[in-house]
Amino acid sequence: MMRLALGTLRRHRGAYAGTLIAAMLAVALLAGGGLLLYSVLTAKPPADRFAAATLVVPGAREVSVTTETTKHKKEGKAKVKRKTKTERLTGAGTLPTDLAGRIAALPGVTRVVPDAAFPVQVTGASGRPLRGADKAPVIGHGWASAVLTPYGMKDGQPPTQGEVVIDADLAARGRVAIGDILKVTSRTGERSLRVSGIAAPPGRDGLPAQGALFVADREVAAVSGLDGPTALGVFGTPKTGLDGLTGDDKVRADLPGALPDYIGPISIFGFVIGITAFAAVFVLTGTVTLSVRQRLRELALLRTAGATPRQLRRLLGLESVVLAALAALPALPLGIVSARLVAARFQTLGVVPAQFAVRVNVPVLLLAALAGLLVTFVAARIAARRAVRIAPTQALAETAAAPAGTLFPRLLLALVTAGGAAAVLTFVPLGGPLGMGMSFVSSALLLCAVAAVGPWLVRPLTLLARPLGLAGLLARTEFRRVAAVAVPLVLMFGINAPMLLNSTLLSRLASQQQAERNASATEVVASRVPLTTARRIAGTPGVTGMAALLPTRVIAVRGGKPEDYPAQGLLATGSGALDLDIRAGAYTADGVGASEALARQFGWRVGNIVPLWLADGTRVELPLTMVYARDRGFGDVVLPAALVAAHDPSGLVSTINVRKQGAEAHAPAAWAAEDAPEQQGAWELLVVISLGFTAIAVVNTSAIAAAGRRREYADLRLAGATAGQLHRLAGAEALVTVLAGLVLGAAVTGVVVGAFSTAQDGTLRWIVDPATYATMAGGVAALGLIAGVLPTRLLVRRRTPASAV
């Protein structure tokens, strides 16, 4: 059987080229997506701030919630089940000031060094901010904690009051020399500090993910605003059980803002692998099915020679395994290259940390190759189930037609997948954080339904081709062939258009709400300044209203699960500087506000006491005093500004809205949704990845379909048709195929986008952005026409009819 399979592949190299290309691209994309997800899941911080310490005792870095459920058994006994769930903090909790002394007294401990870590904004004499490598943040410390890395003096002296030491990398980047004056801004205010020295870890100029600035130990509390250390570095060998972090885990004790954040990239790359896996399965299945369908006459001849259906199924399955194995050889290196290109682009967009690197993992590559082989094999077996039932007598015919398939299984599959899509669009809250992901799931399910009953959906559409004469007749007769080529077009439009249109809608709604929030402000100051600066602005003559915002994140618990939400600290004076569209209650300086969506999700009402965990893990209980509607690009929770300034590591005002007496209000520049361009860019890159693969699939499928009609075109040439007539025939058939693909793709897109749009703000939109929609439809149509016409032109050249046979 293997010899026969290899012989068949050699004899039909052209026919199998399309399947080989599809399998190669599918494995490459699966390998690339798998490497990206593996790399981000196993990514480690690039440096250990506590490398010299034996053990590190950190302050709070996460919120843990334990719930108990009691299950009563028939014997009357009760079983208590405990579940603990955690959520990572965006800040760092502090430790008691006397803890260092208590640990130092333990047997085996030789030294305990407290470390108070806090982010700072540093500006040099040139007025430009100082940043570390790859725009890394600058983290402040007390000089005594320099031994934890360790940092050693490279030049100058340790800092005294009014002085700082910076690492050599910062000094080189900012062209800072000893004696220069730096403006250091923290949540406690702005200070002008003199550079007394330059330090560096052994063998390098600084840590790759954070710049370091050291102040005199006696000034740590005043500069940082901390009431204790954020971590304790322990030296020696403790002889008692001391709970702390050792080895590679020590890096987890660092300030969260000083470590690269891989939470967002995990979801992004998970989405990448989801898109590529679905597209790979979809395209491979269609390509293999079309390839098998074009070999019907050959299969009939084998039946005539005595081959059984089981032997033919084994033959087709074995051929698919060989093809997939051959495709994996160039696909795996291509997958590595594609993963690195995608990662580099995401780094440029700021979606993943600059320190992120793609790690090549052999098991991941082998799994991608195995997945491609398995999908190709299953697709071949499924396609073979109908094809091998062909009657041996059809071998005597000029063409062979596949036996009519049973509609019931396909209809059942279509109903199940369409029902799943309807359930997702109806019952899943698309307006929440899962909206984009669930809209993709619903698109995928609807596309599966279209693929299952594609021929029956395309058949009535071919009736519109009657005015095209012979092309229309062929389209109506060979509606299965039209469906096979149209389905990749449906995939191309139906999977990419919803992603692009939905992300555009989110960006547009965020910008619209931002403009509405700021409509009455006469000036917006976007700058990282302490809260005291905002208070001074509020007291400036002529200022009738001011709203200062401090971005942060909070944790709320729902159903025993802690969840992280974006929030804003708000200090508002006067009136008219910020319009949140308050639906219930009113802003107060000592209460908490919640977005309508969050209040509805938790069942909160004005007057309820709301428990929240702040960025440093501090638990607070505040009364809910307002519910607001304009939360896009802003946050789900509003807190007192002073509370955020005291408990967020940064604690700086990001934006100040000002309303001045007699000044004309205008729409200020964008400020609240700082990550909106990054998010939009990420979605657009995902669309580009998907478009590239689906576009190649369209061209590949069209080429396979054209190659399978070589004998048909030769017969038409012998019947007197000219090459030009066949070219026009192919163009007309391509037009029918494109129209069918666009109609079905537009139907899938309209259902998904319409449901997503309605969930966002109650407005039904089918198109969202006419220009984007027209560009997508035009691109798909152009590609479909080119892919339908070009292979035929290459196949049917202006030769004599005899040479065309």
Side-chain angles (χ1 to χ4, degrees):
M1 187 65 70
M2 174 62 76
R3 184 179 301 174
L4 179 60
L6 293 176
T8 305
L9 292 176
R10 284 195 298 267
R11 287 193 305 271
H12 300 283
R13 290 188 296 268
Y16 287 110
T19 304
L20 183 70
I21 292 173
M24 183 182 68
L25 291 173
V27 172
L29 282 176
L30 289 172
L35 288 178
L36 288 171
L37 188 59
Y38 167 80
S39 300
V40 76
L41 287 173
T42 58
K44 294 183 179 179
D48 185 1
R49 157 80 179 125
F50 303 97
T54 306
L55 176 146
V56 181
V57 179
R61 295 296 187 271
E62 62 185 21
V63 170
S64 298
V65 177
T66 301
T67 56
E68 294 184 355
T69 55
T70 303
K71 186 177 182 181
H72 297 280
K73 296 185 176 181
K74 293 181 180 180
E75 298 82 2
K77 296 181 180 180
K79 183 179 180 181
V80 178
K81 188 176 182 180
R82 293 181 177 85
K83 287 185 178 181
T84 300
K85 297 184 178 181
T86 61
E87 181 68 35
R88 192 179 66 170
L89 292 169
T90 54
T94 56
L95 296 166
T97 55
D98 63 341
L99 183 59
R102 285 186 277 140
I103 294 177
L106 295 176
V109 175
T110 59
R111 186 181 182 187
V112 178
V113 178
D115 178 37
F118 52 96
V120 292
Q121 306 286 326
V122 184
T123 305
S126 63
R128 293 184 301 176
L130 270 65
R131 304 283 287 181
D134 300 318
K135 299 182 179 180
V138 180
I139 309 299
H141 307 271
W143 174 247
S145 68
V147 298
L148 295 173
T149 306
Y151 279 88
M153 290 301 302
K154 192 172 183 179
D155 194 10
Q157 301 295 328
T160 59
Q161 186 171 0
E163 295 180 333
V164 295
V165 168
I166 63 173
D167 69 51
D169 182 65
L170 276 180
R173 292 177 183 278
R175 298 181 181 179
V176 177
I178 294 176
D180 288 353
I181 302 299
L182 300 179
K183 185 174 77 171
V184 178
T185 303
S186 67
R187 59 184 176 179
T188 61
E190 296 179 351
R191 293 170 176 81
S192 294
L193 303 176
R194 176 182 172 274
V195 178
S196 67
I198 296 174
R204 50 187 173 181
D205 290 336
L207 298 182
Q210 55 182 285
L213 178 144
F214 298 95
V215 300
D217 293 314
R218 68 179 64 181
E219 291 192 306
V220 169
V223 177
S224 68
L226 298 170
D227 57 5
T230 55
L232 298 175
V234 180
F235 292 82
T237 307
K239 302 191 182 304
T240 58
L242 181 60
D243 189 15
L245 303 174
T246 60
D248 293 339
D249 290 335
K250 290 185 297 182
V251 72
R252 291 163 44 199
D254 211 340
L255 191 69
L259 300 175
D261 183 12
Y262 290 104
I263 299 299
I266 288 175
S267 60
I268 289 290
F269 291 147
F271 208 84
V272 169
I273 193 68
I275 291 175
T276 54
F278 171 75
V281 172
F282 201 95
V283 169
L284 263 179
T285 302
T287 303
V288 172
T289 301
L290 181 61
S291 178
V292 170
R293 177 178 172 78
Q294 292 183 349
R295 296 177 57 195
L296 293 177
R297 191 166 185 273
E298 176 188 337
L299 296 175
L301 286 170
L302 291 173
R303 288 295 311 278
T304 304
T308 65
R310 182 179 179 183
Q311 289 174 323
L312 294 183
R313 286 195 296 268
R314 287 179 57 195
L315 174 64
L316 293 173
L318 193 56
E319 289 175 0
S320 68
V321 169
V322 174
L323 274 175
L326 292 174
L329 296 178
L332 296 182
L334 185 61
I336 297 173
V337 173
S338 66
R340 288 174 174 165
L341 291 175
V342 171
R345 182 55 184 161
F346 272 127
Q347 285 173 329
T348 303
L349 293 171
V351 178
V352 299
Q355 297 81 17
F356 174 73
V358 175
R359 300 175 60 192
V360 178
N361 181 264
V362 174
V364 170
L365 296 176
L366 293 178
L367 283 174
L370 180 61
L373 187 149
L374 184 62
V375 171
T376 308
F377 176 76
V378 172
R381 295 284 290 191
I382 293 174
R385 290 192 63 181
R386 286 181 52 234
V388 299
R389 294 200 303 267
I390 187 169
T393 54
Q394 289 202 37
L396 302 177
E398 288 297 313
T399 59
T406 305
L407 177 60
F408 179 74
R410 288 175 168 267
L411 185 60
L412 181 61
L413 176 61
L415 289 175
V416 170
T417 52
V424 169
L425 296 174
T426 303
F427 299 110
V428 175
L430 299 179
L434 298 177
M436 284 295 293
M438 290 299 101
S439 66
F440 166 73
V441 171
S442 59
S443 295
L445 289 171
L446 288 174
L447 287 169
C448 289
V450 170
V453 292
W456 290 272
L457 293 176
V458 168
R459 190 171 191 177
L461 296 177
T462 59
L463 297 176
L464 301 176
R466 284 181 177 176
L468 297 178
L470 179 59
L473 177 62
L474 289 174
R476 294 195 301 275
T477 305
E478 292 291 336
F479 63 92
R480 294 180 184 275
R481 183 175 64 202
V482 174
V485 182
V487 165
L489 292 172
V490 180
L491 170 68
M492 187 176 181
F493 193 84
I495 203 70
N496 297 301
M499 282 198 300
L500 193 57
L501 294 172
N502 288 346
S503 62
T504 300
L505 176 62
L506 290 179
S507 179
R508 181 178 298 176
L509 291 176
S511 298
Q512 179 182 336
Q513 285 199 2
Q514 172 185 294
E516 292 169 349
R517 283 194 301 269
N518 299 345
S520 59
T522 58
E523 184 178 352
V524 170
V525 180
S527 179
R528 306 285 288 177
V529 297
L531 189 57
T532 52
T533 302
R535 290 194 175 103
R536 287 200 301 270
I537 292 176
T540 303
V543 173
T544 60
M546 187 276 297
L549 296 172
L550 292 80
T552 187
R553 300 191 76 88
V554 298
I555 292 175
V557 177
R558 183 168 67 100
K561 181 182 179 182
E563 298 180 351
D564 175 75
Y565 295 94
Q568 295 280 356
L570 173 60
L571 172 64
T573 62
S575 61
L578 184 69
D579 184 2
L580 293 176
D581 189 12
I582 298 174
R583 298 298 176 89
Y587 165 75
T588 62
D590 56 355
V592 62
S595 66
E596 272 190 316
L598 190 67
R600 183 168 53 252
Q601 182 180 355
F602 280 81
W604 293 338
R605 296 180 180 276
V606 172
N608 292 163
I609 300 300
V610 175
L612 297 169
W613 281 260
L614 304 178
D616 63 355
T618 300
R619 187 178 188 273
V620 296
E621 293 185 354
L622 299 172
L624 184 68
T625 59
M626 72 170 176
V627 176
Y628 57 94
R630 292 183 180 134
D631 60 314
R632 295 182 184 275
F634 180 80
D636 289 302
V637 178
V638 170
L639 295 164
L643 190 65
V644 172
H647 293 280
D648 188 275
S650 173
L652 295 177
V653 173
S654 64
T655 308
I656 303 175
N657 279 24
V658 177
R659 183 169 179 80
K660 294 182 179 179
Q661 186 176 9
E664 183 180 353
H666 62 282
W671 54 268
E674 294 179 353
D675 61 342
E678 296 177 0
Q679 293 175 353
Q680 181 69 10
W683 286 115
E684 289 176 357
L685 181 55
L686 289 176
V687 170
V688 168
I689 296 171
S690 180
L691 272 175
F693 182 47
T694 51
I696 293 173
V698 168
V699 175
N700 190 42
T701 305
S702 299
I704 294 175
R709 302 178 66 184
R710 182 189 300 271
R711 188 180 184 87
E712 177 186 341
Y713 289 141
D715 290 343
L716 289 173
R717 290 297 307 275
L718 289 172
T722 65
Q725 289 174 326
L726 292 183
H727 294 165
R728 289 191 292 274
L729 174 65
E733 290 180 334
L735 179 61
V736 175
T737 304
V738 166
L739 289 175
L742 286 180
V743 168
L744 295 177
V748 171
T749 300
V751 170
V752 175
V753 172
F756 184 84
S757 172
T758 303
Q760 297 304 311
D761 62 352
T763 302
L764 177 62
R765 304 176 181 87
W766 300 107
I767 294 179
V768 175
D769 183 7
T772 301
Y773 196 95
T775 301
M776 179 68 72
V780 171
L783 180 65
L785 290 173
I786 293 172
V789 172
L790 186 59
T792 302
R793 283 185 170 271
L794 295 176
L795 190 66
V796 184
R797 298 177 182 176
R798 298 185 179 278
R799 300 177 296 181
T800 62
S803 64
V805 180

